[in-house]
């Protein structure tokens, strides 16, 4: 049997459609809510989900681990509220859950960026190890899960993983506008990842600030053929390079914050 786990914080606009996309697939839906201010919990319960609560944290971990541990069944599918399960993927995952030789399934994620789907630039990829046996995840969990974009890292090299073709994907609707991308990715994730680098002892440098954004643009737009997505692909490649700049700029800023008194009153 299969549990679908969804972590939420103020997702009243998304939670209903997310749950609807899992109907006929999930034997249980667990919504782990970080004490939303809107109607997320009410709507989730109306849709038949079991709601568990977790205090708000700066990053979805450890709430994600808590949510998975709260699932009742052997197999777990992890979704975010702005993601949708497609029927073709649902059928495939249901079949694989009966395969005793499989513990983890890696499928694809198709992103909706700025009014259209993105198929190139490395943004449409099959590295989403989001369907697994619950005990395998809990037994292999490690601290690196708490780093930005490193969720399910412990499952990366699991020997009993089935890798699916690109036809089997979820729909990822996180970035309907450039404003949302800038606030969430360049702003929130850039600051969070930069501080995590600093706390891990990774040093910023002018070379990293300059070269990594340039390299990311060249790789995304040219090598991985982001140009095939037209102007949308170009804008996304530029913004992603800006994200890498934001990470190193925030890492640098964390270092000067630590060595500064923070008292500007002496200058007045």
């Amino acid at each position: 049997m299969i549990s679908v786990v969804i972590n939420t914080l103020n997702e009243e606009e998304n939670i209903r459609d997310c749950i609807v996309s899992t109907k006929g697939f999930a034997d249980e839906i667990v919504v782990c809510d970080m004490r939303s201010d809107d109607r997320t919990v009410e709507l989730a319960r109306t849709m038949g989900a079991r709601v568990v609560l977790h205090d708000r944290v700066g990053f979805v971990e450890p709430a994600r681990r808590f949510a998975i541990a709260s699932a009742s069944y052997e197999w777990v599918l992890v979704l975010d509220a702005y993601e949708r399960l497609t029927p073709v993927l649902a059928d495939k995952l249901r079949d694989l859950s009966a395969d005793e030789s499989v513990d983890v399934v890696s499928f694809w994620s198709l992103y909706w960026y700025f009014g259209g789907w993105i198929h190139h630039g490395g943004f449409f990829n099959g590295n989403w190890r989001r369907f697994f046996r619950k005990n395998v995840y809990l037994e292999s969990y490690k601290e690196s899960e708490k780093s930005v974009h490193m969720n399910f890292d412990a499952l990366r090299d699991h020997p009993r993983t089935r890798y699916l073709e690109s036809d089997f994907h979820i729909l990822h609707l996180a970035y309907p506008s450039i404003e949302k991308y800038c606030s969430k990715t360049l702003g929130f994730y850039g600051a969070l990842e930069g501080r995590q680098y600093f706390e891990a002892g990774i040093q910023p440098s002018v070379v990293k600030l300059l070269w990594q954004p340039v390299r990311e643009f060249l790789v995304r737009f040219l090598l991985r053929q982001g140009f095939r997505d037209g102007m949308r692909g170009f804008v996304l490649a530029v913004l992603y390079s800006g994200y890498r700049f934001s990470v190193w700029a925030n890492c640098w800023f964390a270092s000067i914050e630590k060595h500064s008194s923070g008292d500007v009153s002496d200058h007045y």
Side-chain angles (χ1 to χ4, degrees):
M1 300 184 78
I2 299 170
S3 297
V4 171
V5 168
I6 309 167
N7 283 82
T8 57
L9 174 60
N10 296 334
E11 291 286 358
E12 67 178 7
E13 294 182 0
N14 286 309
I15 189 61
R16 183 183 183 281
D17 288 343
C18 181
I19 293 175
V20 166
S21 76
T22 70
K23 293 297 185 181
F25 169 78
D27 298 296
E28 172 192 54
I29 300 169
V30 179
V31 171
C32 179
D33 187 75
M34 292 190 289
R35 307 189 186 280
S36 293
D37 300 313
D38 62 8
R39 298 175 61 238
T40 299
V41 169
E42 174 189 345
L43 292 172
R45 286 175 173 153
T46 299
M47 296 297 296
R50 175 165 62 89
V51 176
V52 296
L53 299 177
H54 192 282
D55 289 340
R56 292 189 187 184
V57 289
F59 185 43
V60 71
E61 299 296 338
R64 181 94 78 189
R65 183 185 183 188
F66 172 76
I68 294 169
S70 299
S72 302
Y73 298 128
E74 178 184 14
W75 280 93
V76 174
L77 173 66
V78 176
L79 291 176
D80 288 322
Y82 45 75
E83 294 172 337
R84 309 289 180 262
L85 179 64
T86 58
V88 65
L89 177 59
D91 290 342
K92 186 67 171 181
L93 296 182
R94 173 66 75 175
D95 289 343
L96 288 173
S97 69
D99 190 333
E100 293 298 327
S101 69
V102 178
D103 287 339
V104 180
V105 180
S106 181
F107 52 83
W108 292 63
S109 180
L110 181 60
Y111 281 78
W112 177 267
Y113 278 107
F114 323 140
W117 300 111
I118 291 290
H119 292 88
H120 306 95
F123 295 102
F124 181 38
N125 65 76
N127 296 320
W128 290 70
R129 294 168 294 279
R130 298 272 211 88
F131 188 60
F132 44 76
R133 297 183 193 271
K134 173 183 170 181
N135 68 305
V136 170
Y137 168 82
L138 294 176
E139 291 170 2
S140 62
Y141 184 88
K142 57 185 181 181
E143 286 301 302
S144 63
E145 299 281 342
K146 297 179 182 179
S147 299
V148 177
H149 301 144
M150 292 298 287
N151 304 147
F152 316 108
D153 183 53
L155 300 177
R156 183 181 301 276
D157 298 316
H158 194 281
R160 290 161 57 91
T161 299
R162 180 69 57 86
Y163 296 91
L164 301 184
E165 298 82 11
S166 60
D167 289 342
F168 301 102
H169 57 258
I170 58 172
L171 303 179
H172 193 104
L173 307 173
Y175 300 104
S177 68
I178 292 175
E179 178 185 8
K180 180 70 174 291
Y181 187 92
C182 289
S183 63
K184 182 176 181 178
T185 301
L186 274 72
F188 177 72
Y189 283 131
L192 184 59
E193 188 170 354
R195 181 163 291 279
Q196 288 180 343
Y197 278 9
F198 170 72
E199 292 174 352
I202 301 173
Q203 297 299 313
S205 69
V206 173
V207 172
K208 291 173 181 175
L209 278 162
L210 289 174
W211 170 238
Q212 190 172 99
V214 172
R215 183 188 66 186
E216 284 294 341
F217 174 80
L218 294 175
V219 168
R220 299 282 178 177
F221 191 66
L222 298 178
L223 185 62
R224 298 186 178 178
Q225 302 185 17
F227 59 85
R228 295 178 63 183
D229 288 310
M231 182 61 77
R232 186 175 289 108
F234 174 77
V235 170
L236 180 56
V238 170
L239 288 174
Y240 189 80
S241 67
Y243 165 59
R244 298 316 304 170
F245 178 85
S246 175
V247 169
W248 289 114
N250 277 287
C251 183
W252 163 80
F253 187 62
S255 69
I256 67 168
E257 277 190 312
K258 181 177 180 179
H259 296 99
S260 171
S261 65
D263 184 4
V264 298
S265 62
D266 292 343
H267 299 278
Y268 292 91

